[in-house]
Amino acid sequence: MIAVDYQNPTQYIFENYNVWNLEEVVDNHSEEPSEYCIPIEEWEIEFLKNCVQAEAGGEPDEAKRGVCDVILNRVLNPSSPDSVYGVITQKYRFTSYWDGGMERHKEISDNTSAIVEEELRAGPLHNDWYWFTSDGYGRNGKPICQIGNMYFGG
């Protein structure tokens, strides 16, 4: 298991991600992770990429980044599940999971993959985005912006 730590992004490096290795903390990096640390399994990274592809594959890069940020922000929010898998599979939250869209979009573009990896390295660019829709602003929360055919809010 690895964990992305957005409070201390350069402290722990594992493979290509700024992470804290939960199994073995390197001696010269013995600090505990911050509350901004997201434990994430390698398969969850692919699951996240699959969700972003299914939700925003045909949208501009910034919309893909926004979908990724919404998921990561929810993981960090105490009122949401505390894992990428838990957030994406939360009942009726991500349409692409519940309607089979993720199953139909197994092919993840290099572009989507790169965007998700950038967001995992840097942390959510938009740390106040908690929802998105493709059919106008929702009734809950604060509307923030429209990117392509997607509407984001906090």
Side-chain angles (χ1 to χ4, degrees):
M1 177 179 293
I2 57 177
V4 180
D5 190 340
Y6 298 119
Q7 185 68 21
N8 303 303
T10 59
Q11 284 186 338
Y12 307 101
I13 309 296
F14 181 79
E15 293 185 5
N16 295 322
Y17 301 97
N18 292 334
V19 298
W20 178 56
N21 185 340
L22 297 176
E23 274 78 35
E24 115 189 7
V25 177
V26 179
D27 288 339
N28 61 348
H29 295 291
S30 59
E31 292 184 40
E32 289 296 312
S34 74
E35 68 272 19
Y36 298 99
C37 185
I38 299 176
I40 187 168
E41 301 279 351
E42 292 287 343
W43 65 266
E44 277 186 302
I45 295 169
E46 294 306 310
F47 194 69
L48 175 59
K49 291 176 183 180
N50 184 212
C51 184
V52 171
Q53 182 71 39
E55 294 283 353
E59 296 295 329
D61 290 356
E62 194 59 28
K64 293 175 188 173
R65 195 174 307 284
V67 170
C68 188
D69 288 352
V70 165
I71 294 166
L72 296 177
N73 288 335
R74 287 186 183 182
V75 173
L76 291 167
N77 186 313
S79 65
S80 293
D82 63 356
S83 70
V84 168
Y85 180 79
V87 165
I88 293 171
T89 61
Q90 190 176 15
K91 195 166 189 173
Y92 306 121
R93 295 291 188 214
F94 289 87
T95 305
S96 65
Y97 177 79
W98 291 100
D99 72 1
M102 287 177 65
E103 282 296 316
R104 291 189 302 274
H105 293 92
K106 289 285 192 184
E107 186 95 14
I108 301 166
S109 73
D110 291 343
N111 177 260
T112 297
S113 186
I115 287 169
V116 169
E117 289 175 12
E118 287 170 13
E119 291 302 287
L120 286 171
R121 279 193 296 271
L125 177 63
H126 311 289
N127 60 9
D128 59 344
W129 294 15
Y130 288 96
W131 58 263
F132 64 87
T133 67
S134 59
D135 58 356
Y137 291 111
R139 292 179 296 227
N140 301 321
K142 172 185 77 170
I144 294 177
C145 70
Q146 178 183 357
I147 303 169
N149 295 311
M150 302 189 81
Y151 298 81
F152 293 88

